[in-house]
Amino acid sequence: MARANEEVEALLQEYADLIAISGGDAFKARAYEKAARSIGGYHADVSALDPKALREIPNVGKSIADKVVEFLRSGHVSAIEETRAAIPAGVRELITIPTLGPKKALVLHEELGISSVDQLLDAIHEERLRDLKGFGEKTEENILHGIALMQKAGEGRILISAAMDVAEQIVGELSAISGCTRCTYAGSLRRMRETIGDIDVLVAAERAAPFMEALGSLPYTAEVLAQGEKKTSIRTTKGLQVDLRVLPPESWGAGLQYFTGSKAHNIRTREIAVRHKLKLSEYGLFHAKSGRKITSETEEDIYARLGLPWIPPPLREDRGEIAAGLDDALPDLLEERDIRGDLHTHTDLTDGLAPLEDMVAAAAERGYAYYAVTDHAPNLAMQRMTAEKMLAQREQVRALDREHRGMRVLHGTELNIGPDGELDWPDDFLADFDLCVAAVHSHFNQSRDALTRRILRACENPHVSVIGHPTTRLIGKRPGLDADFDAVFEACARTGTALEINSHPNRLDLRDEDILRAKRYGVKFAVNTDAHAITHLPYLRYGVGTAQRGWLTKDDVINTWPLTRLRRFLRGEGTT
């Protein structure tokens, strides 16, 4: 279930938005926004902290700590409730539209009297927004896209990280019940899709009743939607549907295969079964004529009897995996254990939440062979970076590198790709970093040609090793850049610039579809967390899952390589 930290983060971010939309103190809004991020990424559960301990969290002062305590005790905060009440409900709805933002929402309300999504749609269709300063045809397109994103999010899909938290907790609870021989999650979550509609949980046991009853009585079960001998469905207190199926132990493999694959993948496997005069169901593989069971206990047995190798779950989307399996051409997919180090992380020197020493120590605990610190460069003015601060950090990094004999600590930076493709520092300064990650952080609405030229210029810079979160998308909140990414992929392959697979669940950028395209150009990739807190380092699993969905092997990913090979790549000396 969602950590208390995440609930408090969402509440404080909402308050920051409400302050901004009501024309309140911008400094106050920024303070609550920073506190929200600090609490969301804090390593300890805030529900277990007293007011004094809360104030030890970066950016959390007495006033904010008091509000957190009030929320944790009562479920609401009077000051936030009052601010909500002072703003029309429709206007509050406007700020939930991705790509709009509180400032533009305030302008729409004050200038045009818009206080609902429907009124906003009418105004766009009547082209009334174009008379407002800072609005235009491109703004209208972005708002319409944001409304579409919001409506899609309203269909009940949640980020993979939130679904995984729920699934793993339920699997843990059910696995402890006497009689359980196997238990896991299946469906789109097992396939590592970026968003999840509902969670499928499977149990192998002789008796189903104890598991059905246990699921319905869990403390976070809000409603039992259906309960029967073979299936129980609940809705959690967060509105997520969970479907539990209990299978006979001898049918485990068939059930796991059946409830994991996409609809299209399962149609393919059933078609193969029919061609072999067989019938495939969640209970096993049977002779079509006699009904005699052939196999059912493991997925490997099911696939083998169909003439296929075992197909990894992230590939089961009917995107060529059946043909590749028949040709013995399935890739040996990247695994999380193959990652030797994280090449994109931040500290509290810029917008991270933990000191350098703590981030490095946490990375060492994960068993990495190397680890890069890549704080923001000065063109993101809010980070207040200077060359002097960066050089001082380099000295600290070098000292920590000497201390951590089992892990090399690399000093890098995340550069901002400016509107014309310019970078933050001159080439002679960049040359002394171990690596440079470059990313777009602003001016998202440039023309397609301008955005493409901008990214290509960064790829051409010999000191840029990785393009970070390449499309800049935020799932359900911000669309990806409208650039010619085929041109970008070609340039990255030609210049030896890796493309990042950003593992943060809000990003997962590149997407699996982009990875598949880029791989055809010969691009190399870096699976990084972009961690801004110690709690973000485990997000690596989601980046690896996305890489698997893009059919990547460990040779495709530069941070699986030994350090000597990686350094050659970072110096522009090729990939071999």
Side-chain angles (χ1 to χ4, degrees):
M1 306 305 291
R3 297 169 68 226
N5 300 47
E6 294 165 1
E7 295 179 345
V8 173
E9 178 184 18
L11 181 76
L12 296 182
Q13 181 59 59
E14 179 194 0
Y15 192 34
D17 290 340
L18 292 172
I19 293 168
I21 200 172
S22 61
D25 183 356
F27 178 80
K28 182 178 179 181
R30 178 65 175 155
Y32 276 91
E33 189 175 307
K34 290 168 70 175
R37 291 186 61 255
S38 293
I39 289 173
Y42 197 60
H43 61 88
D45 185 341
V46 293
S47 65
L49 303 181
D50 60 23
K52 182 180 178 182
L54 285 170
R55 292 196 295 274
E56 294 176 0
I57 300 174
N59 303 310
V60 176
K62 183 179 184 304
S63 176
I64 294 175
D66 289 345
K67 288 182 176 65
V68 173
V69 170
E70 182 182 355
F71 173 72
L72 293 173
R73 286 177 178 169
S74 67
H76 64 83
V77 178
S78 56
I80 298 177
E81 296 287 346
E82 291 169 7
T83 307
R84 282 182 185 142
I87 299 171
V91 179
R92 296 202 303 272
E93 184 182 357
L94 294 182
I95 67 174
T96 66
I97 300 173
T99 73
L100 184 56
K103 291 183 179 178
K104 279 189 164 61
L106 181 61
V107 170
L108 291 170
H109 179 59
E110 291 183 341
E111 298 293 329
L112 299 179
I114 294 173
S115 59
S116 73
V117 173
D118 287 342
Q119 290 176 359
L120 178 55
L121 286 169
D122 289 341
I124 291 174
H125 295 146
E126 294 164 8
E127 300 184 355
R128 288 190 284 132
L129 270 61
R130 299 182 188 186
D131 296 330
L132 300 177
K133 184 178 180 181
F135 288 76
E137 189 174 351
K138 186 69 173 177
T139 307
E140 291 175 347
E141 292 176 7
N142 289 332
I143 292 174
L144 288 172
H145 188 83
I147 292 173
L149 287 173
M150 182 179 69
Q151 292 170 338
K152 183 176 180 181
E155 295 172 359
R157 299 192 71 83
I158 65 171
L159 296 179
I160 185 175
S161 54
M164 190 69 77
D165 287 344
V166 175
E168 291 185 333
Q169 189 163 354
I170 290 175
V171 167
E173 298 269 7
L174 299 182
S175 296
I177 296 175
S178 177
C180 177
T181 61
R182 305 286 291 272
C183 182
T184 192
Y185 52 83
S188 57
L189 183 58
R190 190 171 177 231
R191 300 200 310 276
M192 297 299 286
R193 288 197 59 179
E194 63 194 34
T195 61
I196 309 300
D198 52 46
I199 295 173
D200 294 297
V201 175
L202 303 183
V203 166
E206 296 292 351
R207 295 180 60 244
F211 302 92
M212 303 302 189
E213 293 169 5
L215 183 66
S217 62
L218 291 174
Y220 40 82
T221 296
E223 178 185 9
V224 177
L225 302 175
Q227 187 165 358
E229 293 183 8
K230 298 180 180 179
K231 176 183 174 182
T232 291
S233 297
I234 65 163
R235 194 176 308 282
T236 71
T237 52
K238 298 300 180 184
L240 181 62
Q241 181 171 327
V242 179
D243 297 328
L244 168 65
R245 294 172 176 85
V246 179
L247 302 165
E250 64 271 15
S251 296
W252 176 256
L256 189 57
Q257 192 278 331
Y258 184 89
F259 289 113
T260 293
S262 68
K263 181 179 179 180
H265 175 87
N266 286 351
I267 288 173
R268 294 282 190 183
T269 54
R270 288 198 295 271
E271 287 174 346
I272 294 174
V274 169
R275 289 200 297 270
H276 286 80
K277 294 182 170 46
L278 303 173
K279 181 181 178 182
L280 179 62
S281 75
E282 64 266 44
Y283 294 106
L285 189 63
F286 303 86
H287 278 292
K289 189 173 182 180
S290 69
R292 182 174 61 84
K293 182 188 290 187
I294 297 172
T295 187
S296 63
E297 291 189 7
T298 71
E299 285 190 313
E300 288 82 357
D301 290 343
I302 297 291
Y303 280 111
R305 188 61 181 80
L306 296 176
L308 290 163
W310 179 79
I311 298 177
L315 299 187
R316 300 182 198 177
E317 297 285 359
D318 191 29
R319 295 197 288 204
E321 71 278 7
I322 298 294
L326 292 170
D327 290 340
D328 196 26
L330 285 172
D332 185 7
L333 290 182
L334 173 76
E335 300 285 348
E336 187 172 355
R337 64 177 177 269
D338 296 325
I339 301 293
R340 296 179 184 234
D342 200 330
L343 300 181
H344 182 182
T345 67
H346 297 272
T347 76
D348 62 359
L349 182 62
T350 54
D351 61 345
L353 303 176
L356 171 66
E357 296 84 353
D358 292 355
M359 293 297 289
V360 171
E365 287 179 7
R366 292 180 63 83
Y368 287 147
Y370 44 80
Y371 175 77
V373 176
T374 56
D375 273 316
H376 289 287
N379 284 358
L380 282 180
M382 70 182 75
Q383 309 305 342
R384 300 180 181 177
M385 177 57 78
T386 64
E388 291 74 21
K389 286 182 180 179
M390 188 58 83
L391 291 174
Q393 185 188 62
R394 182 171 298 159
E395 292 303 312
Q396 292 178 282
V397 168
R398 298 298 182 238
L400 288 169
D401 181 52
R402 291 190 291 271
E403 289 179 20
H404 289 271
R405 294 297 182 183
M407 181 182 77
R408 300 307 306 266
V409 187
L410 308 179
H411 190 232
T413 183
E414 183 182 5
L415 301 164
N416 184 52
I417 303 174
D420 295 319
E422 71 276 14
L423 303 176
D424 306 68
W425 279 304
D427 284 354
D428 59 347
F429 193 82
L430 297 181
D432 292 329
F433 285 101
D434 292 319
L435 79 157
C436 295
V437 177
V440 173
H441 295 98
S442 63
H443 298 82
F444 304 120
N445 297 328
Q446 288 179 307
S447 71
R448 180 179 176 85
D449 287 346
L451 284 168
T452 304
R453 287 195 302 271
R454 180 179 176 185
I455 302 172
L456 292 181
R457 184 177 172 191
C459 294
E460 298 284 354
N461 187 295
H463 303 294
V464 172
S465 303
V466 180
I467 301 296
H469 43 79
T471 76
T472 79
R473 72 142 179 190
L474 294 173
I475 298 173
K477 296 180 180 179
R478 185 171 70 208
L481 296 174
D482 180 20
D484 180 355
F485 277 98
D486 285 292
V488 172
F489 300 156
E490 187 280 327
C492 286
R494 174 171 46 82
T495 61
T497 307
L499 286 171
E500 180 175 75
I501 300 170
N502 190 294
S503 300
H504 196 291
N506 289 333
R507 291 187 183 274
L508 295 180
D509 180 14
L510 290 172
R511 304 175 306 155
D512 53 359
E513 296 96 331
D514 297 325
I515 297 167
L516 285 163
R517 282 167 52 208
K519 180 178 169 69
R520 288 195 285 267
Y521 285 87
V523 171
K524 296 299 181 183
F525 302 85
V527 181
N528 300 321
T529 62
D530 193 4
H532 285 64
I534 291 170
T535 54
H536 296 170
L537 292 172
Y539 286 160
L540 184 73
R541 66 188 299 193
Y542 304 119
V544 169
T546 302
Q548 291 174 335
R549 290 177 59 80
W551 293 52
L552 295 191
T553 69
K554 73 177 185 178
D555 194 56
D556 296 315
V557 178
I558 65 171
N559 49 325
T560 69
W561 300 348
L563 183 61
T564 51
R565 183 183 178 191
L566 174 65
R567 283 195 183 278
R568 287 198 298 271
F569 178 86
L570 298 177
R571 291 195 298 264
E573 297 174 6
T575 62
T576 58

